[in-house]
Amino acid sequence: MGGVFELKSRHEAGPGELRVNGPSAPGPARFTAWDAAVLGLRRLLRGADDATGGPRRAARRGAVWARRWRSHGWTLREWLRRPGAGHFWIATEDAVDWARRTCEAEDLDFARDAVRGRLPILAARTEPSGPCWAWRRDLYSGYEWPLVPSHRLRIQRDDGSDIRTVWELSRCYYFLALARAYWATGDSTYRETFVRHVESWIADNPVGLGPHWASPMDVAIRSANWVLATVLLGPAVEIPDGFWARLLGNLYASGLFLERHPEWHPVYRGNHYVADGLGLVYLGVLFRGDPAGERWLRRGARILAREICHQVHDDGVSFEAALGYHRLVTEFFAYGGELLRLNVPGAAGAEYEARVRSMYRFIRQYLPDSGEAPMLGDADDGRLHAVSARGLLEPRRHALGLPERFWPESVEEGAIAFPQGGYYVLRKERDHAIIRCGAVGLNGAGSHDHADQLAFELVLGGRRVVADSGTYAYTRDLAARFAFRSSAAHGVVQVGSEEQNPIRVDRPWRVLADRTRARCVLCTQTATELRFEGVHYGYAHRPSRAVCRRAITVDIADGEWQVVDTIDGVGRESITWRLHLAPTLVEWRCTGPGTYEFLLPGSPAVRIALQVPAAMEPRVEESFMSDRYGVRVARPCITAAGELALPVSVIVTFLAGR
């Protein structure tokens, strides 16, 4: 028995020892009746503000501010350098030199795409639409989101549309590339494109109406990028003051909007609320000296300082438990921290910077030598800025685009535990594994969790061998979202047809309970081996009382990796064991009763040996992974299934050619 499984590339779009025992993280916070009452009151007040014309008042106040600004006779360059002005991480007096010095080929390509009206957005691409974008047109379905009060919009439509494409375009990451390209080349087309797009956006998206005001987080990110563009293009004397007055008036209105619509929750607030605070900081620094600007800066600083302790564990891992979102909030806290250091240095303090550094340490440890991040948990490829255009266009390169001063000097080898965050890294030279084992994220809500407890990604000799599912879609395709989150999409043991934790398609942003209660039993390193052991109880409610255990051992001398899965319990159960590989050719054969060998040709070649009970006959099937939001790629999955008496063990070993 045996054969060759060939993937048809189908694209749709040291010394010492460390021991960690006990639970990986505290239990989830409780959502009390008092919390519900407070949250309900806040929502009622927001609704009342919207219903009584709050957004229109914000727009009028922005227009009044703009008229006053013009009456002073400022040029933007003078205003940015006024006494008492705020300080940005790009110094206003150095903005032009910074733009020229940091402009790379990817920035020029990104800027040219914007000029041509052909920007890549979440596996889609914009199409030229007159002098500017159709700002509210969904790039997947072509649906035009209406100009109705933003709080009345139905975000999830079940028709193939995805509001993420609309929001992503409107975040205006490319403004940074336009500014760099303009100062690097002197081509006025880039400057004119920026002016035209801002004017078009303001005309097409009145404050409080349509999709671009439905998510305060996106208001905040858009504002931060407009603020940076203002700093970088302010020295361009060809841009008229009337344009700057309109842009600043819109940003002032955006600050008032963010101030009145924070995405706060007493228990389950996450990256959206951090973004809101960050947006207030950027706007507060820009409008420093104005009473509203000072208020925004103080409030944003409080949010960032408080939330870094609430949302980031002591070990440096975001409490949302998804690597893509850890990267995003690291960017929020890092750039926000730089603004606080320059403008209100006492607002953050040493603890803030120490926690940002610990977030960087986690990224440094979970990145293999390739620099391409594993895909555990959700990822929507979101960013704050395109400081690195390449990092934006290749979203798994998590190190690109972050402030550099927080990086640790070197990467650690051995067994590295992040017990509160629920991640463990085994690292030996160019071999690297990351294992998910911990509490459900977001205080138990699990908004960005997958059914991936004890799942791992494995890189051998620099080659990605075992790969997680990634995230293909959100509201565009809820069935696909559920499939990519499911146990079947991950390299874990599944008992019966149940999920590790209950998930329902009709609740795409929740895990209904942390049934797994996953914990690390051991994470250790000696002179001869690295070892991880973990356990979860996601199936212990069944009559069999099944408990899943996984042990991963690395032999330091010969480089062999061994994974032992044990399902303890009583009686019989239907067991499915899966190993999802990165896209590759698989040659395989039966080498004896219950033993199989799989060869992955390439550089380096990898041999996989599998031992399963006789009743479990392996197959090589096709599954899907998503390296980028909106794109899915076929890859092989080694599967073994059968009905067996518990306990059951499956052993798989990996050895890369040297």
Side-chain angles (χ1 to χ4, degrees):
M1 182 189 306
V4 175
F5 178 89
E6 182 175 1
L7 180 69
K8 299 172 178 62
S9 182
R10 192 169 71 220
H11 296 254
E12 294 190 20
E17 180 170 309
L18 170 68
R19 292 179 177 271
V20 178
N21 296 290
S24 297
R30 294 181 59 197
F31 183 56
T32 65
W34 173 256
D35 292 330
V38 171
L39 188 63
L41 178 60
R42 291 173 70 99
R43 288 173 174 167
L44 183 65
L45 291 173
R46 171 178 177 171
D49 181 66
D50 288 338
T52 57
R56 291 194 298 275
R57 288 193 296 274
R60 287 196 296 270
R61 289 179 62 184
V64 169
W65 187 95
R67 287 196 295 271
R68 290 176 178 168
W69 182 83
R70 290 209 69 183
S71 70
H72 284 287
W74 296 102
T75 66
L76 183 69
R77 182 187 178 98
E78 292 169 340
W79 183 71
L80 289 174
R81 299 184 180 186
R82 70 194 183 278
H87 301 282
F88 296 93
W89 51 267
I90 302 173
T92 53
E93 61 274 11
D94 186 44
V96 174
D97 288 341
W98 182 90
R100 290 180 178 140
R101 186 173 65 249
T102 61
C103 186
E104 298 179 346
E106 290 85 359
D107 296 292
L108 292 173
D109 289 342
F110 199 25
R112 291 188 194 107
D113 283 342
V115 169
R116 296 166 183 160
R118 298 279 294 165
L119 274 183
I121 302 287
L122 300 179
R125 189 172 285 274
T126 58
E127 294 291 340
S129 179
C132 196
W133 317 119
W135 289 104
R136 301 190 306 276
R137 182 176 300 159
D138 186 281
L139 297 183
Y140 290 144
S141 67
Y143 174 74
E144 190 84 13
W145 292 83
L147 272 180
V148 300
S150 58
H151 67 283
R152 296 181 186 171
L153 276 176
R154 186 162 62 92
I155 303 303
Q156 184 179 315
R157 296 177 44 80
D158 303 321
D159 62 356
S161 62
D162 189 342
I163 201 169
R164 283 279 293 113
T165 67
V166 178
W167 287 342
E168 194 78 0
L169 176 62
S170 194
R171 289 180 177 185
C172 299
Y173 301 126
Y174 65 94
F175 280 6
L176 195 57
L178 289 173
R180 280 170 157 159
Y182 172 63
W183 292 117
T185 67
D187 187 340
S188 63
T189 304
Y190 299 113
R191 182 194 72 230
E192 293 162 359
T193 299
F194 163 72
V195 171
R196 186 171 68 251
H197 285 198
V198 170
E199 296 276 26
S200 168
W201 196 96
I202 293 173
D204 289 356
N205 300 282
V207 179
L209 297 178
H212 297 304
W213 300 93
S215 166
M217 175 185 189
D218 285 86
V219 176
I221 294 176
R222 176 173 68 251
S223 296
N225 283 304
W226 283 29
V227 168
L228 276 193
T230 299
V231 172
L232 289 169
L233 287 166
V237 297
E238 298 86 354
I239 300 178
D241 293 335
F243 165 81
W244 289 121
R246 289 187 291 277
L247 181 149
L248 292 173
N250 191 271
L251 285 176
Y252 196 89
S254 297
L256 295 170
F257 184 90
L258 277 176
E259 187 178 30
R260 296 298 296 270
H261 299 84
E263 294 165 280
W264 177 89
H265 191 285
V267 177
Y268 302 133
R269 63 188 182 272
N271 65 85
H272 280 241
Y273 187 54
V274 178
D276 300 343
L278 181 67
L280 288 172
V281 168
Y282 268 86
L283 291 165
V285 172
L286 181 67
F287 292 101
R288 195 87 196 263
D290 182 273
E294 294 291 337
R295 190 172 67 244
W296 299 336
L297 180 56
R298 290 194 302 271
R299 183 171 181 180
R302 285 197 302 268
I303 291 172
L304 293 182
R306 183 172 58 241
E307 293 307 306
I308 200 169
C309 294
H310 175 74
Q311 297 194 29
V312 181
H313 296 296
D314 291 340
D315 58 14
V317 183
S318 164
F319 82 151
E320 294 194 66
L323 299 187
Y325 282 90
H326 176 88
R327 165 59 177 79
L328 180 63
V329 295
T330 299
E331 188 176 4
F332 290 166
F333 285 122
Y335 281 112
E338 292 291 85
L339 291 180
L340 297 185
R341 180 176 62 87
L342 292 167
N343 293 277
V344 280
E351 172 61 24
Y352 186 101
E353 181 163 320
R355 201 156 294 214
V356 171
R357 291 187 182 277
S358 68
M359 299 178 79
Y360 273 66
R361 174 179 176 259
F362 179 50
I363 296 175
R364 186 69 178 263
Q365 291 308 127
Y366 74 62
L367 286 179
D369 284 354
S370 68
E372 294 187 328
M375 303 183 300
L376 292 159
D378 272 353
D380 68 0
D381 301 348
R383 292 292 186 269
L384 171 62
H385 299 306
V387 171
S388 167
R390 183 188 178 197
L392 181 73
L393 299 171
E394 300 178 35
R396 283 185 53 229
R397 296 195 173 275
H398 284 189
L400 299 181
L402 292 171
E404 294 184 357
R405 75 181 188 90
F406 298 107
W407 285 113
E409 293 183 0
S410 61
V411 67
E412 303 164 43
E413 287 202 350
I416 303 101
F418 299 90
Q420 291 179 309
Y423 284 97
Y424 299 82
V425 173
L426 303 179
R427 191 172 202 134
K428 174 187 173 292
E429 298 175 345
R430 299 190 69 207
D431 294 354
H432 179 276
I434 181 168
I435 306 111
R436 170 76 174 114
C437 179
V440 166
L442 198 67
N443 275 337
S447 296
H448 295 297
D449 279 74
H450 290 193
D452 60 359
Q453 295 292 349
L454 303 185
F456 66 100
E457 280 213 7
L458 178 63
V459 173
L460 296 179
R463 176 186 180 180
R464 193 180 187 193
V465 177
V466 179
D468 208 64
S469 62
T471 302
Y472 171 57
Y474 284 166
T475 58
R476 169 195 181 191
D477 187 340
L478 288 180
R481 167 149 177 76
F482 179 79
F484 274 77
R485 293 182 81 191
S486 69
S487 299
H490 299 85
V492 297
V493 172
Q494 187 170 16
V495 179
S497 59
E498 288 195 61
E499 300 294 340
Q500 294 180 341
N501 285 315
I503 310 173
R504 291 208 315 250
V505 180
D506 61 332
R507 300 198 67 186
W509 309 110
R510 287 291 181 267
V511 167
L512 301 185
D514 186 0
R515 209 161 53 189
T516 49
R517 292 169 286 137
R519 64 185 180 93
C520 172
V521 176
L522 183 70
C523 183
T524 181
Q525 62 186 72
T526 67
T528 59
E529 70 174 24
L530 311 177
R531 185 172 177 84
F532 163 86
E533 296 178 16
V535 59
H536 82 73
Y537 303 89
Y539 304 110
H541 64 285
R542 295 172 65 89
S544 65
R545 301 194 293 278
V547 175
C548 296
R549 305 180 187 275
R550 172 165 280 175
I552 302 178
T553 306
V554 187
D555 188 305
I556 291 177
D558 65 15
E560 182 178 272
W561 290 67
Q562 183 181 80
V563 180
V564 179
D565 285 315
T566 305
I567 306 93
D568 291 329
V570 297
R572 298 182 68 83
E573 280 285 14
S574 175
I575 304 295
T576 305
W577 178 94
R578 296 180 178 90
L579 185 70
H580 294 274
L581 303 175
T584 185
L585 172 73
V586 180
E587 301 172 4
W588 64 291
R589 62 192 177 96
C590 179
T591 57
T595 62
Y596 302 82
E597 186 175 273
F598 303 83
L599 177 65
L600 315 184
S603 181
V606 177
R607 182 177 63 84
I608 301 175
L610 177 64
Q611 301 175 49
V612 296
M616 299 178 75
E617 183 175 321
R619 302 184 305 275
V620 181
E621 302 177 333
E622 184 179 76
S623 67
F624 288 94
M625 61 180 276
S626 177
D627 263 0
R628 294 194 58 179
Y629 187 91
V631 177
R632 60 182 180 182
V633 182
R635 45 79 177 272
C637 175
I638 303 173
T639 302
E643 187 170 331
L644 307 99
L646 302 184
V648 170
S649 290
V650 175
I651 303 173
V652 59
T653 59
F654 304 83
L655 187 63
R658 293 296 191 262

